[in-house]
Amino acid sequence: MTRTEPVATRFAEDCHAIILAGGSGTRLWPLSRTLLPKQLLVLGGASTLLQQTVARVLEIFPPDHVWVVTNEEHVFEVRKQVAVLDPALKGQILAEPLSRNTLPAIMLGLDKVVEADPKALAAVFPSDHLIRNGAAWAADLVRASELAAQKRFVTFGVRPDKPETGYGYIALGDDLGGNAYSVKGFVEKPDFLTADRFLREGTHLWNSGMFLFSAKHFLTQVARCEPVLWDWWMARDETPLVRGYRDIPDISVDYGVVEKIDNITVVRAGFEWDDLGSWEAMYRLGDKDADGNVIRGDVLALNCTGCLLISEGGKLAVSGLRDTIMVQTRDATLACPMDRVQTVRDVVAALKAEGSRLVESHVTVYRPWGNYTVLEEGPQYKIKRIQVSPGARLSSQMHHHRSEHWVVVDGTAEVEVNNEPRILVENQSVDIPKASQHRLANPGKVPLDIIEIQSGPYLEEDDIVRFDDVYGRVQK
């Protein structure tokens, strides 16, 4: 979509965009994990879902009117991904210290919006939706801004094309013209028979989770509907919002505000939309072979039809499957019937209950300085491959419970142990005794690869005491 002057002028003057990028995407496990959720993955197209969302928003909004709200754990990866699209966005990332659902996240973004313009409109977009026909999307935003200027809270509804039980629905009221309707009510994820009736009657739209409203009017409704959140908001001059995050309610914007207020309007979307919220959606939108299979990665499929088969961890060989999902990573494999994809959340919940780390992270974990991959682990030892980006530097740190041994595989390492610096090159090594202060950096122009062998009674990532960190991760 090319930016047109009337749309750009309208939104540049009147509206800010708040992109919500803090979700965990549990229904796409095992690809989506807590530390690398679906919005940061390349699932459809050549870029991540977050990058696709930001690129679409930048067609209308100037960078200084775009705010991305994410989790503290993801802020460096989010900053890196959006900087590829526009370096000015690096300063537009807001970090939640922990997840508190969509309403607090929106209010965190509104803090910046009203600071810039107390009379501004605000548009809220999830970062993990797939949208086609950007010109129609822009036109719908213009229509929504006209309604929001009348103190209407505007949401966007999508015409159903199947009886979907994984989405919320919006009940249509009076026709207001221009594809806009008053809202009679909301229905949260109906059963199949109800969803099928909604589809046949044409009385309901899917709830897209996108909104547009007057920031001032919205905050007035928060004061009325959620007084605890309002008190937290009003105290932000004395206590920054992020400091009080642990004490506020975990509540969605739907439950906290939308379902409690009048004068709600829905704009029926003229664009194609999908939230890529399940493996069924990935199958439905994927390129299919002659047998109706969607295949990605190193997969051998014999006599299979209607399957989604993904491998990111070695050869996946399957035979005689029908309407089945199999997703394999280096450390986990999911298999389930296509019509049971909503139960993936139950799988994740069961893994959490047994304390499995498979919910949190992949074997490769990304950090602001690069990444590390766990190659092997056992009682009192762990082996990692660490890759440090050119010019990057890890924190100055120490560990209470483990010692480490580093071997340089490729590149040049700048190492400091107890204030003693040294340079290591390929095949050279160094010992890091327990409780010694140490630091690793890459002074070169190519990635630095090292093998790290940890040994000790406790090897988890929270055994790190940081003394200095260029990424601001030192606990004060």
Side-chain angles (χ1 to χ4, degrees), residues 64 68 84 95 128 138 155 165 215 237 266 278 296 335 342 379 412 432 442:
D64 63 346
V68 182
V84 173
D128 52 4
T155 186
T165 60
D237 289 338
V266 59
S278 70
R296 193 172 83 184
Q342 300 298 340
T412 300
I432 315 293
N442 180 1

Side-chain angles (χ1 to χ4, degrees), residues 21-300:
S24 59
T26 56
R27 288 182 294 167
L28 290 181
W29 186 88
L31 285 191
S32 180
R33 312 274 179 104
T34 300
L35 295 181
L36 195 66
K38 67 172 180 174
Q39 63 268 22
L40 303 181
L41 300 174
V42 178
L43 296 175
S47 56
T48 68
L49 295 177
L50 171 64
Q51 288 173 320
Q52 292 179 45
T53 301
V54 172
R56 184 168 57 249
V57 168
L58 287 176
E59 291 289 347
I60 299 175
F61 298 82
D64 63 346
H65 279 206
V66 178
W67 302 95
V68 182
V69 183
T70 189
N71 193 281
E72 204 170 65
E73 288 281 1
H74 307 145
V75 67
F76 296 106
E77 180 65 20
V78 168
R79 189 173 292 150
K80 181 172 71 175
Q81 289 195 13
V82 301
V84 173
L85 302 171
D86 194 319
L89 289 176
K90 292 178 69 174
Q92 303 293 106
I93 312 302
L94 307 176
E96 299 178 280
L98 72 165
S99 178
R100 278 292 181 262
N101 221 312
T102 53
L103 181 52
I106 290 170
M107 294 179 71
L108 197 63
L110 286 177
D111 181 38
K112 297 297 184 181
V113 173
V114 298
E115 181 181 347
D117 181 4
K119 298 181 180 180
L121 300 179
V124 176
F125 307 114
S127 61
D128 52 4
H129 291 180
L130 187 65
I131 289 177
R132 297 188 177 94
N133 193 345
W137 178 76
D140 287 345
L141 289 181
V142 172
R143 176 62 176 136
S145 71
E146 297 167 350
L147 296 162
Q150 304 168 19
K151 294 186 178 180
R152 292 178 179 272
F153 186 94
V154 185
T155 186
F156 297 83
V158 178
R159 194 194 306 270
D161 59 11
K162 64 181 185 301
E164 174 62 58
T165 60
Y167 299 159
Y169 284 71
I170 301 169
L172 298 178
D174 296 334
D175 189 341
L176 304 177
N179 278 334
Y181 300 82
S182 64
V183 173
K184 289 176 62 177
F186 296 87
V187 179
E188 180 63 23
K189 296 179 181 178
D191 58 33
F192 180 84
L193 291 178
T194 303
D196 186 58
R197 177 167 58 83
F198 289 167
L199 176 65
R200 288 184 284 102
E201 294 176 352
T203 55
H204 291 70
L205 302 176
W206 287 335
N207 189 349
S208 73
M210 296 187 291
F211 308 102
L212 201 151
F213 49 78
S214 158
K216 181 179 179 180
H217 176 60
F218 178 81
L219 290 168
T220 300
Q221 299 305 314
V222 172
R224 183 177 67 86
C225 300
E226 292 293 329
V228 174
L229 284 178
W230 179 248
D231 290 343
W232 163 70
W233 167 267
M234 290 299 291
R236 68 193 186 283
D237 289 338
E238 292 77 31
T239 305
L241 293 176
V242 293
R243 289 190 188 173
Y245 233 68
R246 293 186 181 277
D247 301 321
I248 59 176
D250 182 330
I251 191 166
S252 71
V253 65
D254 300 87
Y255 287 124
V257 176
V258 178
E259 296 179 8
K260 298 177 181 178
I261 63 177
D262 300 321
N263 211 23
I264 306 175
T265 302
V266 59
V267 171
R268 187 176 61 203
F271 51 87
E272 295 180 47
W273 171 91
D274 203 295
D275 80 340
L276 286 180
S278 70
W279 288 120
E280 183 277 332
M282 290 290 294
Y283 172 78
R284 177 164 35 84
L285 298 169
D287 294 329
K288 299 172 179 62
D289 64 15
D291 295 313
N293 300 311
V294 174
I295 295 176
R296 193 172 83 184
D298 190 3
V299 176
L300 172 64

Side-chain angles (χ1 to χ4, degrees), residues 32 62 69 89 109 118 130 137 139 178 229 251 270 286 307 312 332 345 384 393 412 415 430 434 438 449 456:
S32 180
V69 183
L89 289 176
L130 187 65
W137 178 76
L229 284 178
I251 191 166
C307 295
E312 293 192 351
R345 281 181 169 173
K384 292 180 177 178
R393 177 185 295 267
T412 300
V415 178
V430 63
K434 181 176 64 175
H438 58 280
D449 288 307

